[in-house]
Amino acid sequence: MCLAIPGEIVDVVERSGMRFGRVRFGGVTREVCLEYQPDSAVGDFVLVHVGFAIAKIDADEAARQWELLRELAPEGEEL
Amino acid sequence: MKYLDEYRDAAATAAIADQIRREVTRPHVVMEVCGGQTHAILRYGLDRMLPPEVELVHGPGCPVCVTALETIDRAHAIAQRPGVIFTSFGDMLRVPGSHGDLLGLRARGADVRIVYSPLDAVELARAHRDRPVVFFGIGFETTAPANAMALIAARRGGVANFSMLASHVLVPPAIASILQSRDNRVGAFLGPGHVCAITGARAYASLVARYRVPIAITGFEPVDLLRGVLAVVRQLEAGRAELENAYARSAPLAGNPAARAALAEVFEVVDRNWRGIGAIPKSGYRIAEAYRAHDADRIFDVGEIATREPEACISGRVLRGVAKPSECPAFGRTCTPATPLGATMVSAEGACAAYYQHRRTA
Ligand code: SF4
């Protein structure tokens, strides 16, 4: 039920006083309500749940987490 | 897909599992709270990759499962009213009430429609001004903001024929009730990442401080899930109890202020009855007074509904991590996803249904 999928904002529009955008998930594009991501912009990756962007994905945090994980990998193995 | 595929990488997942095996020295019981996490753990076989010392038990985080039978019956009564268009997320359609499910009602002529977003239900109401359009609003803090926005849009747009039967549940009071129960076995929690993306971490920090229990805010993909397990196992081994964020890319500690503002405007906190568990104080949202014109509970007077759960069902103990689905005598025999007897078999995210689907029988 709490499933949320990451996608990239490809455009932002205003409709009946609300902020919407088209978000691309792999090959599929869907209209998503951006009211809860007022600062989001084209090119941002957002997490989408039942048609709403609930979070913006933080690329720096993602990179930092992979750094931590790489330390776990046995010598010479690529994660 | 970016931010998805790399977190399903088998080598990375195995490396974290190995690290957990290297660090663990004694038994630990870890609960993942969210039903989506339960489903992913079984689907990717993460429970089988972990060393035997680390036991995963499955929490109450399946909103479809814990929605009270009485609420389901109320929804069915409304869906049968003449003229009503009853809308819902797809996963509520097969959930049996005392007399069948929404799909059955639809087969008998009720106008039941699946929507992807609650805003779609508002659009439907705009297109059918002469008919009441009701949306079945359930879910945790992840889903509640979307449902709140549907109510805001309906009120702003003067869509008087749109209403919502709202029965939301909140995670932190459920965790507290598990920790307070005398038979609790859970030593650490994987916090529900998408709930935290909305609420932020404050309530979880309070739980950590109050009960001295490690919590790692955790995502939903294999790498994320095992990263959360590693975080709490490390704490348990070291005798620490802290709040850690193992899902920082998507769940900032501050949560989502815009979503929280909408929740505060539209809903108010109430005691809620959880199917299989019972009443938990201050564990739900109902529609606030200002939005009463769109509250299906007030619009459709359905009256008192008496329900009874089968005695064989031990889902209350499953939902608190005290029992495994396979310990239930009815599991896979009289109780299957096609003929569910209790809360945790009614949705694919329920622990009993997930065990059944992924053949965890022993
Ligand atoms: S298998 Fe069925 S009867 Fe047994 S606990 Fe699960 S839902 Fe209840």
Side-chain angles (χ1 to χ4, degrees):
Chain A
M1 176 102 208
C2 288
L3 187 73
I5 304 291
E8 184 181 6
I9 299 179
V10 293
D11 68 12
V12 178
V13 291
E14 179 103 1
R15 204 157 36 73
S16 26
M18 277 164 73
R19 213 165 173 262
F20 286 87
R22 279 188 307 139
V23 175
R24 186 167 55 217
F25 309 92
V28 189
T29 305
R30 271 206 115 118
E31 179 157 286
V32 164
C33 180
L34 299 176
E35 278 290 301
Y36 294 135
Q37 288 302 320
D39 305 324
S40 56
V42 170
D44 284 345
F45 277 79
V46 287
L47 206 53
V48 176
H49 171 67
V50 297
F52 285 73
I54 59 166
K56 189 151 76 181
I57 294 172
D58 184 329
D60 295 340
E61 284 291 354
R64 197 164 327 161
Q65 296 241 311
W66 279 110
E67 280 310 311
L68 292 173
L69 288 177
R70 274 196 195 95
E71 291 167 14
L72 300 181
E75 284 304 311
E77 232 176 76
E78 270 294 302
L79 284 193
Chain B
M1 269 156 66
K2 197 173 171 191
Y3 295 119
L4 203 59
D5 297 336
E6 65 266 41
Y7 294 93
R8 293 178 179 171
D9 182 78
T13 309
I16 306 170
D18 286 345
Q19 187 64 25
I20 295 169
R21 190 167 305 116
R22 276 194 288 275
E23 295 191 21
V24 77
T25 65
R26 55 200 163 82
H28 304 292
V29 178
V30 176
M31 175 180 275
E32 85 281 355
V33 175
C34 179
Q37 293 174 330
T38 304
H39 196 74
I41 285 165
L42 295 168
R43 175 171 164 203
Y44 293 102
L46 303 182
D47 52 333
R48 290 174 166 164
M49 295 174 70
L50 289 170
E53 290 90 342
V54 181
E55 181 188 353
L56 292 179
V57 293
H58 321 297
C62 164
V64 176
C65 301
V66 299
T67 299
L69 194 51
E70 195 233 329
T71 306
I72 309 274
D73 285 349
R74 204 166 280 278
H76 293 180
I78 294 171
Q80 290 176 78
R81 291 285 169 95
V84 164
I85 301 177
F86 194 86
T87 59
S88 164
F89 295 131
D91 40 9
M92 291 308 282
L93 259 63
R94 287 181 183 281
V95 179
S98 301
H99 313 281
D101 57 21
L102 283 169
L103 274 181
L105 292 180
R106 182 157 80 182
R108 277 179 273 132
D111 193 345
V112 176
R113 305 188 192 186
I114 296 176
V115 290
Y116 163 70
S117 158
L119 289 178
D120 296 344
V122 180
E123 283 312 309
L124 206 56
R126 277 189 221 273
H128 299 273
R129 291 283 187 170
D130 54 332
R131 295 178 64 186
V133 174
V134 184
F135 176 72
F136 197 3
I138 69 150
F140 279 117
E141 295 94 323
T142 316
T143 315
N147 295 350
M149 191 53 72
L151 287 164
I152 292 171
R155 191 162 94 141
R156 252 195 234 155
V159 189
N161 57 322
F162 173 82
S163 67
M164 186 179 297
L165 180 66
S167 182
H168 291 99
V169 276
L170 307 175
V171 173
I175 294 182
S177 103
I178 288 166
L179 287 167
Q180 282 161 13
S181 70
R182 220 170 300 138
D183 51 1
N184 174 49
R185 306 173 55 224
V186 180
F189 290 87
L190 306 185
H194 293 158
V195 165
C196 294
I198 301 291
T199 65
R202 191 188 293 168
Y204 298 85
S206 311
L207 288 167
V208 167
R210 175 138 184 231
Y211 297 97
R212 283 207 42 81
V213 62
I215 300 180
I217 297 169
T218 299
F220 292 73
E221 300 304 327
V223 165
D224 290 317
L225 283 157
L226 288 192
R227 162 102 177 77
V229 174
L230 175 61
V232 294
V233 164
R234 272 186 181 160
Q235 289 196 41
L236 289 165
E237 287 286 332
R240 289 183 288 127
E242 290 158 15
L243 180 71
E244 256 180 83
N245 193 355
Y247 197 38
R249 72 177 180 283
S250 295
L253 293 177
N256 183 326
R260 276 203 307 277
L263 291 177
E265 181 186 333
V266 172
F267 295 124
E268 56 195 28
V269 174
V270 286
D271 300 345
R272 170 87 56 222
N273 210 4
W274 294 51
R275 187 174 190 180
I277 294 183
I280 303 178
K282 298 194 170 68
S283 67
Y285 281 141
R286 74 159 171 225
I287 296 173
E289 197 59 34
Y291 284 83
R292 63 173 301 154
H294 299 284
D295 185 347
D297 238 341
R298 306 191 205 220
I299 296 168
F300 300 90
D301 183 15
V302 198
E304 287 297 306
I305 292 176
T307 57
R308 207 159 49 96
E309 296 275 8
E311 269 163 36
C313 179
I314 62 162
S315 64
R317 299 177 58 218
V318 173
L319 287 165
R320 287 184 289 118
V322 179
K324 287 277 172 67
S326 40
E327 291 165 29
C328 174
F331 175 80
R333 297 191 178 86
T334 49
C335 185
T336 68
T339 56
L341 288 183
T344 38
M345 193 64 97
V346 298
S347 154
E349 287 185 355
C352 292
Y355 268 58
Y356 187 87
Q357 188 186 342
H358 299 287
R359 302 200 169 69
R360 297 296 195 281
T361 46

